[in-house]
Amino acid sequence: HDLRGIYRLLTFVLSPAFIMRRSPALHARIYDTGTLTVVAARAGWCEAHYRGCVGFDRVLWENVLGAATAVLETAGAKNVRVKAARGGGDGDAELDLIAEWS
């Protein structure tokens, strides 16, 4: 739902790893707090760190994980597994996300 315009079109022609590397710009368009840094993204794997997301709770973090899954699937990734490696609970302003796909 959040992918509109050029972002939606890009998911059809670019790899899931490329889309994940560009996700910090999408995060900045959706949220008015925190930053997203993609530490590494390659075919089948990505690690991203969310920092300074003041006011996020477990439910919002679950939304972030679900959105990452949806973006990857929209970009053609199969067997997507997204998990919080660290953080992502109530009151946490940080999350380390690991995504794997085939």
Side-chain angles (χ1 to χ4, degrees):
H1 177 69
D2 292 327
L3 290 175
R4 295 186 187 106
I6 191 67
Y7 293 105
R8 179 73 173 174
L9 291 174
L10 290 175
T11 62
F12 294 111
V13 296
L14 300 174
S15 72
F18 184 89
I19 296 290
M20 290 304 287
R21 284 191 295 271
R22 300 301 181 260
S23 58
L26 185 59
H27 174 83
R29 292 177 55 96
I30 296 172
Y31 300 107
D32 62 357
T33 186
T35 59
L36 167 59
T37 303
V38 177
V39 178
R42 62 179 187 269
W45 188 84
C46 176
E47 180 177 349
H49 295 175
Y50 294 81
R51 299 292 183 261
C53 298
V54 177
F56 279 38
D57 62 7
R58 183 187 54 78
V59 174
L60 192 49
W61 286 123
E62 287 293 327
N63 184 57
V64 167
L65 296 173
T69 302
V71 167
L72 287 165
E73 289 175 346
T74 301
K78 305 291 184 211
N79 303 312
V80 177
R81 294 167 310 282
V82 176
K83 67 178 181 177
R86 186 181 70 83
D90 284 330
D92 289 341
E94 299 183 352
L95 169 78
D96 292 348
L97 177 149
I98 303 291
E100 298 175 292
W101 64 91
S102 56

